[in-house]
Amino acid sequence: MVRFGLTVVRHGETKYNKDKILQGQGVDEPLSATGFRQAEAAGLFLSNVKFTHVFSSDLLRAKQTAATILGKNKFCKDLEIKYDARLRERKYGVAEGRPLTDLKAMAKAAGEQCPSFTPSGGETLDQVRERARDFFEFLCRLAVEVEQKEPDRQGAASRGSAGSQEQLVFPWTNHCSEAELSSDNSEASKILDASILVVSHGAYMRNWISYFVSDLKCTLPTNLTKSHLSSVSPNTGISHFVIKLENGNFLKPEITCVCLNQDSHLVDMGAECVAFKVF
């Protein structure tokens, strides 16, 4: 069995986020000062997680967030960040660079509602989901390849120090009220074959999680509501999943959501850093 951790983080705030203006793919804004502080806080929260792979959208706001998070990590500051266009935000066509209220007005005029409405030149939800599906299957194949190259890794790691195991579990046991870890500590302590960090975007992540839940029957924490699932992550919101692949079969993964869009790392930073949930 292949077992890997997947940590998904939304990028930090940009000026366009604060002003509630759609960026999509055509507006490539850098992080604001607040966005960098949020990314640093996320990095500190994740500083004890020993990632084996890091992927980011190739848009600037995601690239800066990924680099900032790694800069705070105790174990993998020098790990290469791989940029992938499949992780880009949903394309909003003619609505990019315009206020969110304009998108809602376009949808109303067309007799539709956000987020299912697709503006001219934009991506449909199905197209975004297809990108997410393709990237996730790539991650599953990657984890299988890692396990095949290092078949003795799990056994060797389990004979190591308890500290090495903590690096793969922390911080989920301490910061998530409902988790795979809390119900089965023996299962939680098993060493992962890979621990993957992904930095992406709000609307994309919402579609990815929808794919996990509706298509792959992801197991969710019992305290999650439908509104949690339909909400866009706050800036630097963190979600964590554990994926199991029986016999290396990446077409039938068993996915457990440990936490979704959590932002506890921002609590001590002041109200300005608890980010807007805008695309």
Side-chain angles (χ1 to χ4, degrees):
M1 181 184 73
V2 176
R3 186 173 182 272
F4 69 96
L6 173 62
T7 303
V8 185
V9 183
R10 186 189 176 194
H11 64 81
E13 183 200 84
T14 68
K15 183 178 184 298
Y16 275 52
N17 287 144
K18 186 173 183 180
D19 294 340
K20 300 185 180 181
I21 296 174
L22 287 170
Q23 296 168 102
Q25 298 181 13
V27 178
D28 202 12
E29 276 284 292
L31 296 182
S32 64
T34 295
F36 275 111
R37 291 198 297 274
Q38 292 168 339
E40 289 173 356
L44 288 172
F45 181 78
L46 298 170
S47 62
N48 284 325
V49 181
K50 192 172 184 180
F51 295 110
T52 57
H53 304 79
V54 181
F55 296 91
S56 169
S57 157
D58 59 354
L59 296 175
L60 182 58
R61 55 195 184 274
K63 292 167 71 173
Q64 291 178 328
T65 301
T68 302
I69 289 173
L70 273 198
K72 296 293 182 180
N73 196 278
K74 296 178 181 178
F75 305 103
C76 43
K77 282 185 173 69
D78 298 325
L79 194 62
E80 179 187 4
I81 302 172
K82 296 184 178 180
Y83 304 111
D84 198 307
R86 288 174 293 183
L87 294 170
R88 287 182 179 181
E89 180 58 294
R90 182 184 180 187
K91 185 178 181 181
Y92 284 98
V94 297
E96 292 183 350
R98 297 171 64 174
L100 178 61
T101 52
D102 284 7
L103 178 66
K104 292 179 177 179
M106 291 178 196
K108 184 176 181 180
E112 299 182 40
Q113 292 185 330
C114 295
S116 57
F117 171 69
T118 303
S120 177
E123 282 183 295
T124 66
L125 294 182
D126 285 343
Q127 288 173 322
V128 178
R129 182 174 294 206
E130 179 60 22
R131 279 201 283 129
R133 183 198 62 79
D134 186 61
F135 184 76
F136 178 64
E137 290 184 359
F138 157 75
L139 292 185
C140 291
R141 287 193 294 270
L142 175 65
V144 170
E145 290 172 3
V146 169
E147 192 277 337
Q148 290 174 342
K149 289 179 180 177
E150 301 180 70
D152 297 327
R153 179 178 179 274
Q154 184 164 330
S158 65
R159 292 190 294 271
S161 68
S164 66
Q165 295 183 5
E166 271 182 27
Q167 291 164 16
L168 295 166
V169 174
F170 179 86
W172 320 117
T173 50
N174 298 332
H175 293 265
C176 302
S177 58
E178 295 286 341
E180 177 196 58
L181 313 177
S182 63
S183 61
D184 188 349
N185 288 327
S186 62
E187 177 70 11
S189 66
K190 290 182 181 177
I191 297 301
L192 302 172
D193 293 294
S195 182
I196 301 171
L197 172 66
V198 170
V199 179
S200 187
H201 304 264
Y204 178 89
M205 288 167 56
R206 180 172 58 187
N207 278 271
W208 192 357
I209 291 165
S210 175
Y211 161 66
F212 274 4
V213 174
S214 62
D215 292 26
L216 301 181
K217 311 306 179 187
C218 173
T219 301
L220 298 169
T222 57
N223 63 345
L224 282 188
T225 65
K226 288 185 178 179
S227 63
H228 285 128
L229 289 173
S230 61
S231 295
V232 173
S233 170
N235 289 113
T236 68
I238 299 172
S239 298
H240 184 66
F241 305 87
V242 175
I243 295 94
K244 300 175 186 177
L245 306 171
E246 291 289 349
N247 300 317
N249 185 359
F250 66 87
L251 295 178
K252 292 184 178 180
E254 180 183 333
I255 305 175
T256 299
C257 176
V258 177
C259 64
L260 184 69
N261 298 338
Q262 75 85 24
D263 58 359
S264 63
H265 53 286
L266 302 178
V267 169
D268 296 329
M269 296 182 59
E272 77 278 3
C273 286
V274 179
F276 297 99
K277 297 183 180 181
V278 179
F279 301 6

